[in-house]
Amino acid sequence: MKKVFLDCGTHICEGLNHFISNGLIDDSFEVHTFEANPACNITERVKALPIKVKCHKVAVWISDGYVQFNQENHKKSGSNSPTDGFSDIDGWGSSVSETGFVHAGYDTQVKVKSIDFAKFLGKFSKDDLIYCKMDIEGSEFFVLRHLIETGEIAKINTLFVEFHPINIACESQKTIDGLVHHIKSHGVDVKMWW
């Protein structure tokens, strides 16, 4: 058994810093970060962390390949997205276009690599201890339903997730409640993230 932490939607490492400083993860974990927005420059940002981290500059998604990705300009949107001043398009509202996620700060779109997150989870053992933080701006609805369909959801022990229903027309508190209920039925401890 190994301990694994999967940070889906790393942005500028605010989540990783939170989990490290609160003692949830340490250097005994195999840590993977996933960030699709190239403006976040995640490879450089993780160097400041006190633990070893494997970076995946990809969109967590339902298939391997490429997707169109909307970048949030936080100066345009006024979202108060945390930034270190290196980019205006590293906002936390950036998302995969196919989700239908609506955001006032979009003015740039790029093509980025995507991964089938179910296939990625498939490489781990059901005996591994897996924590997953998922803050992927609307993609969570697609990815979590895909994980349920493939059965890979059961490999996650604890899921920290932020849902974004107000940004996607077909999602609501009702769809979230149903999804969370279904995830919990697979033995996953679900905790709301920020």
Side-chain angles (χ1 to χ4, degrees):
M1 182 196 89
K2 60 184 170 183
K3 297 190 292 186
V4 181
F5 187 84
L6 307 173
D7 186 31
C8 303
T10 302
H11 190 228
I12 58 170
C13 298
E14 60 269 39
L16 281 173
N17 280 309
H18 169 82
F19 286 107
I20 292 167
S21 65
N22 285 287
L24 182 62
I25 57 173
D26 55 32
D27 56 11
S28 68
F29 277 79
E30 178 180 318
V31 179
H32 295 264
T33 69
F34 302 86
E35 178 53 58
N37 190 346
C40 288
N41 198 12
I42 199 62
T43 306
E44 287 302 309
R45 295 181 199 272
V46 299
K47 290 179 181 176
L49 298 174
I51 60 175
K52 186 177 176 184
V53 176
K54 179 162 176 60
C55 292
H56 304 272
K57 295 187 261 185
V58 298
V60 170
W61 191 233
I62 59 174
S63 60
D64 293 326
Y66 290 87
V67 292
Q68 290 300 116
F69 190 78
N70 296 313
Q71 294 172 296
E72 182 212 352
N73 182 324
H74 57 88
K75 287 188 177 172
K76 178 180 176 182
S77 68
S79 69
N80 295 317
S81 176
T83 183
D84 57 13
F86 287 108
S87 174
D88 292 344
I89 55 172
D90 63 357
W92 57 16
S94 301
S95 69
V96 172
S97 296
E98 196 173 328
T99 64
F101 191 92
V102 177
H103 198 287
Y106 290 159
D107 63 1
T108 308
Q109 190 176 80
V110 293
K111 188 176 183 179
V112 299
K113 189 172 181 181
S114 66
I115 61 159
D116 182 333
F117 197 57
K119 285 184 185 175
F120 184 85
L121 275 174
K123 73 180 192 173
F124 296 104
S125 163
K126 62 181 176 65
D127 297 321
D128 291 336
L129 175 65
I130 300 177
Y131 293 152
C132 178
K133 184 220 94 185
M134 190 172 287
D135 186 1
I136 51 178
E137 309 306 311
S139 292
E140 68 276 2
F141 293 105
F142 297 80
V143 172
L144 291 170
R145 289 178 180 128
H146 181 58
L147 292 179
I148 291 167
E149 289 169 9
T150 61
E152 293 297 334
I153 192 74
K155 287 193 178 162
I156 298 173
N157 297 86
T158 303
L159 173 68
F160 301 87
V161 59
E162 180 177 359
F163 289 101
H164 301 83
I166 62 169
N167 301 89
I168 300 179
C170 62
E171 301 295 352
S172 65
Q173 190 59 52
K174 184 176 179 179
T175 63
I176 292 170
D177 292 344
L179 187 52
V180 169
H181 176 75
H182 205 159
I183 294 167
K184 287 181 176 181
S185 74
H186 288 270
V188 180
D189 182 20
V190 180
K191 298 182 182 300
M192 293 303 125
W193 173 250
W194 293 347

